[in-house]
Amino acid sequence: MKRSLTAYIFCTIIVSNTYAQNIDGDMWASTYNDALQCNIPAICNEEHNDISRATCRIYVNGQELGTGTLVNNTALDRKPYVLTSAHILSDLPSESNTISEDNITFLFGYEEPTCSGIICNHEIQKIKGATIIAYDKRADMALLLMSESPSVACRPYWAGWSINTSPIGPYTCFHHPKGDAKKVSVTENITPNCTNDLYDNNYYEENFWRVNGFYSGLVEKGSSGSALTDNDGRIIGALTGGNAANCDIIDALIEYYWMLGKAWNATDEDNGERFITLAEALAPDGSGTTSLDGLDFVTSDSRECKQFKSYTNDSDVQEASKTFSSTLSQLRQAIDIEADSIEIWSMRFATYDATCSNVATIAMGIASDEDAEPTFANSQRAIYLTKVIDSDSKEYERYENILEFNFDEPIKISTNDAYVYVKVENLQDEEYVTPAFVASDNVINEAQWLIGSAWKANTGFAAMIDIIYSELKSDNQSQNPGDNGTVTNFSPSTHHNDITYRKTTDGILIESEGLRTIKIYDIEGHLISTCNAEGESLYFIDFNDLYSGIYIINAVATDGTSRSMKTIITH
């Protein structure tokens, strides 16, 4: 059945302002660009994007900044648990375990949308209020239950965990240094069972991981509570603190993370009866589980969450040759997702400029083919991207206005001939809304305007459209690891489903029944090369084509199966 939407469009697109202002009572915006410049934007690490989506900024008692991580439990019930460090909570509530909405705020999605880090994303969801579930001051451990779960639009991910004291690296930490937009740091050198002698906080002895320097990024005040994850993307601890941050010696900085395995059964000696243990909260089935994979927000019959874009972050945004007006109200665009069937959770549409009153309405929908009636989304919110004008004075200019449209329940469609629709109505004379366009040499992605009763191509240009979706399994596909509530993360093993890696003296041979794409990343997550394998069963990576270093190789099969491996190349 066709659904409908009536919502107000945001019409003020280009404005000059500063971030140093309250937004809904929180000073989160004033922290942008406060962190040291050697910090690396979280989006630069594509391999562990799921852990990034689990990471949130925590604002306590109007002043204390910290970081937390949405964490999974063996009930797989997506309970909104956030793991963090006890010291960021300051003083415990005297009687109740509840932290009021006025005293704690969680921010999801505060990050730069491009690896260059020159644009800040307002794609924020704010959750206020929590209950303390597990707590031990001497272990510096705290587990909080938020008052609600993050919305589907934020693509939440519940991180897995491991109480293993001999994990495999490299080890990754997503965090909000000084409350800034989300960053990522990576190390390969940690020592278990250490005593944190940098602080006089009466911490348990031999209770900490010691990070012996980073090779990418660092941590600062505000990073406290951020999760340390192993090579499989499982939480093994959270940050207490360490040396003063210094970009000149990141490889020599000492940082301490409390160990999940050591804090697993810990209870606060002064308040033990008030709280349960991490073991009771995260492994409520009593099975003695020592590790658990992460859990995406998608349903159990879906694969992992994905994002389709009709443009890249580096696209040259342009004004459309035509614009929505009182006489031109509809635009559509085909999508070419490489999947037979998907379920769509959310869609986004970028505007370039507009002048209109609040009488105007905008709707965004999806149809399985060009002759079908579109199904329109149920809710709308605005996302703003801003461009740095002067980072010292914190002056920014509105860069894009993105409207996001969400479905109450995901819409399942076939993607062979699917179209996204945008409809703007009730514009008055001389009012307009101009889409943001990018050049396109793909006829499939060209936008089309409804002129009279016919659809006419906007030749050479595509509207800026994002789709958040998950690929559905066909009837003849077997269950994949990651279904039924678990997500298979990056692992050093060399075989997964029908993708096999074989390392030789000269390179790596990748075998599969059919390969779609091969991507190579450096250890900081920067994409080095992409190859379209066009369904071939063999692909060879020649080490002579790459400099010495550590690389991540990601192969995607034609059935959507994905597998990554790390390799070290020396010449």
Side-chain angles (χ1 to χ4, degrees):
M1 185 174 75
K2 182 179 177 181
R3 305 182 191 180
S4 62
L5 166 78
T6 300
Y8 291 124
I9 183 171
F10 288 70
C11 293
T12 306
I13 306 302
I14 305 296
V15 295
S16 295
N17 61 6
T18 65
Y19 266 15
Q21 58 179 318
N22 276 353
I23 295 182
D24 295 336
D26 288 326
M27 287 289 290
W28 66 266
S30 65
T31 60
Y32 181 59
N33 210 43
D34 275 0
L36 292 173
Q37 294 304 301
C38 56
N39 277 288
I40 296 173
I43 199 170
C44 299
N45 188 306
E46 296 183 10
E47 194 62 49
H48 288 297
N49 173 264
D50 47 7
I51 306 301
S52 177
R53 291 190 281 123
T55 304
C56 62
R57 207 208 75 172
I58 304 178
Y59 194 56
V60 182
N61 297 331
Q63 56 184 2
E64 189 72 26
L65 298 174
T67 302
T69 308
L70 200 60
V71 61
N72 194 17
N73 71 87
T74 56
L76 305 177
D77 55 6
R78 296 180 175 85
K79 190 170 290 186
Y81 283 141
V82 169
L83 193 68
T84 188
S85 293
H87 74 268
I88 75 165
L89 299 180
S90 301
D91 297 325
L92 280 173
S94 58
E95 297 179 0
S96 172
N97 291 353
T98 300
I99 307 176
S100 72
E101 293 185 358
D102 294 332
N103 291 330
I104 192 165
T105 301
F106 304 86
L107 292 173
F108 286 85
Y110 182 27
E111 61 186 67
E112 293 102 338
T114 67
C115 194
S116 63
I118 63 170
I119 299 173
C120 180
N121 194 351
H122 291 223
E123 189 179 346
I124 303 294
Q125 182 183 10
K126 177 170 54 182
I127 296 174
K128 288 177 171 286
T131 301
I132 304 172
I133 303 299
Y135 178 90
D136 187 350
K137 181 168 58 177
R138 292 193 65 194
D140 200 25
M141 171 275 295
L143 181 70
L144 309 178
L145 178 66
M146 295 189 298
S147 59
E148 60 180 295
S149 292
S151 72
V152 166
C154 284
R155 303 171 63 205
Y157 180 82
W158 283 257
W161 45 262
S162 171
I163 59 175
N164 181 7
T165 57
S166 301
I168 297 174
Y171 310 95
T172 305
C173 175
F174 290 93
H175 56 103
H176 288 278
K178 293 185 178 178
D180 204 340
K182 192 188 307 172
K183 311 297 182 185
V184 61
S185 303
V186 185
T187 182
E188 284 190 324
N189 190 345
I190 68 172
T191 304
N193 306 319
C194 293
T195 298
N196 184 348
D197 53 7
L198 294 181
Y199 301 93
D200 186 21
N201 281 3
N202 196 30
Y203 290 135
Y204 296 127
E205 294 184 357
E206 300 182 355
N207 195 67
F208 293 86
W209 301 104
R210 186 180 69 217
V211 168
N212 306 299
F214 296 97
Y215 64 76
S216 174
L218 43 63
V219 293
E220 302 183 62
K221 178 179 174 61
S223 303
S224 291
S226 55
L228 184 68
T229 60
D230 63 15
N231 196 39
D232 289 320
R234 293 171 176 159
I235 298 172
I236 60 172
L239 178 63
T240 294
N243 293 146
N246 186 331
C247 288
D248 295 330
I249 56 168
I250 65 171
D251 58 346
L253 294 175
I254 301 298
E255 304 291 345
Y256 288 94
Y257 292 74
W258 57 265
M259 296 176 65
L260 189 68
K262 289 297 185 77
W264 193 241
N265 293 297
T267 55
D268 191 78
E269 57 189 21
D270 297 325
N271 300 278
E273 294 182 0
R274 290 176 58 181
F275 310 109
I276 64 175
T277 65
L278 285 176
E280 292 170 306
L282 301 184
D285 58 1
S287 62
T289 300
T290 60
S291 64
L292 183 68
D293 283 343
L295 177 66
D296 221 323
F297 72 90
V298 297
T299 55
S300 60
D301 62 345
S302 304
R303 299 185 184 183
E304 71 272 17
C305 171
K306 299 180 180 180
Q307 182 176 19
F308 165 81
K309 285 186 175 183
S310 60
Y311 59 97
T312 68
N313 289 332
D314 299 324
S315 295
D316 184 12
V317 181
Q318 304 179 42
E319 185 175 2
S321 59
K322 293 183 176 64
T323 188
F324 291 108
S325 65
S326 57
T327 58
L328 191 63
S329 64
Q330 291 195 57
L331 175 148
R332 75 178 186 183
Q333 188 163 297
I335 57 174
D336 54 347
I337 296 174
E338 295 181 1
D340 293 330
S341 182
I342 63 173
E343 56 183 11
I344 295 178
W345 299 82
S346 178
M347 299 184 296
R348 297 167 183 170
F349 174 70
T351 57
Y352 186 90
D353 194 8
T355 175
C356 58
S357 64
N358 283 339
V359 175
T361 61
I362 188 167
M364 194 170 184
I366 187 79
S368 57
D369 61 67
E370 59 183 345
D371 297 322
E373 283 290 318
T375 298
F376 286 94
N378 307 86
S379 64
Q380 172 192 337
R381 71 179 182 132
I383 302 170
Y384 306 107
L385 304 187
T386 55
K387 183 165 51 179
V388 176
I389 297 175
D390 186 337
S391 59
D392 292 332
S393 62
K394 292 194 174 184
E395 290 188 21
Y396 304 86
E397 181 179 69
R398 184 73 57 78
Y399 178 65
E400 288 171 17
N401 189 43
I402 295 177
L403 296 176
E404 180 179 82
F405 299 84
N406 301 303
F407 296 100
D408 288 342
E409 296 292 337
I411 302 299
K412 296 179 174 62
I413 66 165
S414 167
T415 60
N416 293 331
D417 299 296
Y419 279 82
V420 172
Y421 285 77
V422 179
K423 179 169 61 176
V424 179
E425 297 182 315
N426 300 322
L427 286 169
Q428 307 302 302
D429 291 342
E430 298 183 359
E431 294 181 348
Y432 63 88
V433 175
T434 304
F437 271 39
V438 293
S440 174
D441 57 4
N442 186 345
V443 169
I444 296 176
N445 275 346
E446 286 181 346
Q448 299 176 4
W449 292 94
L450 182 61
I451 300 176
S453 59
W455 290 97
K456 303 292 185 181
N458 200 111
T459 306
F461 290 94
M464 295 181 68
I465 289 173
D466 290 4
I467 297 174
I468 306 301
Y469 73 97
S470 51
E471 184 178 346
L472 295 174
K473 299 185 300 294
S474 60
D475 292 339
N476 60 355
Q477 285 179 307
S478 61
Q479 286 290 101
N480 288 309
D483 292 336
N484 296 323
T486 61
V487 174
T488 300
N489 298 301
F490 173 83
S491 168
S493 64
T494 58
H495 187 270
H496 177 65
N497 270 8
D498 62 345
I499 298 177
T500 301
Y501 291 93
R502 300 184 186 277
K503 192 168 184 178
T504 70
T505 56
D506 300 319
I508 293 176
L509 181 66
I510 305 172
E511 299 179 67
S512 172
E513 295 178 2
L515 291 165
R516 180 188 298 169
T517 58
I518 310 294
K519 293 184 178 182
I520 303 175
Y521 300 85
D522 66 19
I523 195 60
E524 293 184 1
H526 301 120
L527 181 63
I528 303 299
S529 67
T530 301
C531 175
N532 184 353
E534 299 180 343
E536 294 292 330
S537 59
L538 297 175
Y539 186 85
F540 184 73
I541 296 175
D542 192 335
F543 286 168
N544 293 320
D545 294 336
L546 298 167
Y547 293 109
S548 296
I550 303 173
Y551 295 88
I552 306 296
I553 301 168
N554 173 256
V556 179
T558 52
D559 68 351
T561 297
S562 175
R563 191 57 176 168
S564 298
M565 72 166 291
K566 183 182 77 170
T567 188
I568 300 175
I569 298 176
T570 57
H571 293 302

